[in-house]
Amino acid sequence: MQSLEERARRYATEVHAAAGQRRKYTDEPYIVHPAAVVELVRSVTDDENMLAAAWLHDTVEDTGTTLADITQQFGAEVGALVGMLTDSAQPQAKNRAARKVAHFRHTADASPQAQTIKLADIIDNTRAIVQYDPHFARIYLVEKQVQIGLLQQGDATLWQQAQVTIAQGIAQLRQRPYNVPEAWFTRQAAKYLL
């Protein structure tokens, strides 16, 4: 019989592929991102529910999968973790900053286990965005810096790794050829005051 994690891996691989989803910058099959998140989570825990949720963390947002589907197939704990990691719709939000603040509050209320998975997600996404889209990375890095400030209950090792990854990205963007001034990052961060 397959383990919970293996079932989650297979399910996530199938539904992301069926949705035609690819990684934005590299056009790789989307599953490379959940796989990277899982390995980061595995570096700090062997909790099978967390590893399953790491495989499944984007399925509700990005495919036809519902939280009910996840709970039915993988159990209440995995369903709850995926729910905490799923960006809730913000139809009343006027702009990106307002939507992001609502999402930051949602993840700040998540369990330590879900916060740990979110930190792994941030680490992997940050690496790709800084490498492939430095213009958007300016905004993204500020947002993630604000968000990880609210994820203090997540694993301390991954929290530190996320902080270093974000700081390195900002330092890179302050250098040539980008030359983004420090004051720009400060002004941008003020848009997300909670």
Side-chain angles (χ1 to χ4, degrees), residues 23 25 33 96 100 104 118-130 133-148 165-166 170 173 184-185 188 192:
R23 284 297 272 167
Y25 304 111
H33 168 62
R96 180 180 175 89
K100 291 299 173 183
F104 298 164
K118 186 64 188 174
L119 288 166
D121 179 50
I122 288 169
I123 292 165
D124 187 58
N125 280 329
T126 298
R127 291 172 177 161
I129 289 169
V130 169
D133 192 351
H135 182 72
F136 173 63
R138 298 179 311 161
I139 294 166
Y140 180 85
L141 289 167
V142 170
E143 290 173 351
K144 295 305 136 182
Q145 200 168 43
V146 172
Q147 188 173 20
I148 68 164
T165 302
I166 292 164
I170 290 172
L173 294 180
W184 186 92
F185 290 105
Q188 187 69 18
Y192 301 92

Side-chain angles (χ1 to χ4, degrees), residues 107-108 110-119 150-154:
T107 55
S111 70
Q113 294 84 359
Q115 288 190 18
T116 296
I117 297 166
K118 186 64 188 174
L119 288 166
L150 302 172
L151 300 178
Q152 303 283 336
Q153 294 176 29

Side-chain angles (χ1 to χ4, degrees), residues 2-89:
Q2 290 182 339
S3 69
L4 179 67
E5 183 193 346
E6 177 59 20
R7 289 191 299 117
R9 183 194 68 76
R10 291 178 71 124
Y11 183 90
T13 302
E14 289 169 13
V15 297
H16 284 297
Q21 199 178 8
R22 315 275 304 172
R23 284 297 272 167
K24 182 175 181 179
Y25 304 111
T26 62
D27 201 41
E28 295 171 288
Y30 190 80
I31 200 65
V32 300
H33 168 62
V37 172
V38 166
E39 291 314 309
L40 285 162
V41 172
R42 192 186 318 281
S43 74
V44 297
T45 184
D46 60 0
D47 181 292
E48 195 164 44
N49 288 311
M50 288 175 67
L51 296 170
W55 280 111
L56 300 165
H57 77 274
D58 281 335
T59 57
V60 174
E61 278 180 34
D62 297 342
T63 75
T65 301
T66 66
L67 278 176
D69 295 334
I70 298 295
T71 301
Q72 180 182 11
Q73 294 204 37
F74 301 100
E77 188 172 341
V78 173
L81 287 169
V82 173
M84 288 180 238
L85 295 163
T86 299
D87 201 353
S88 52

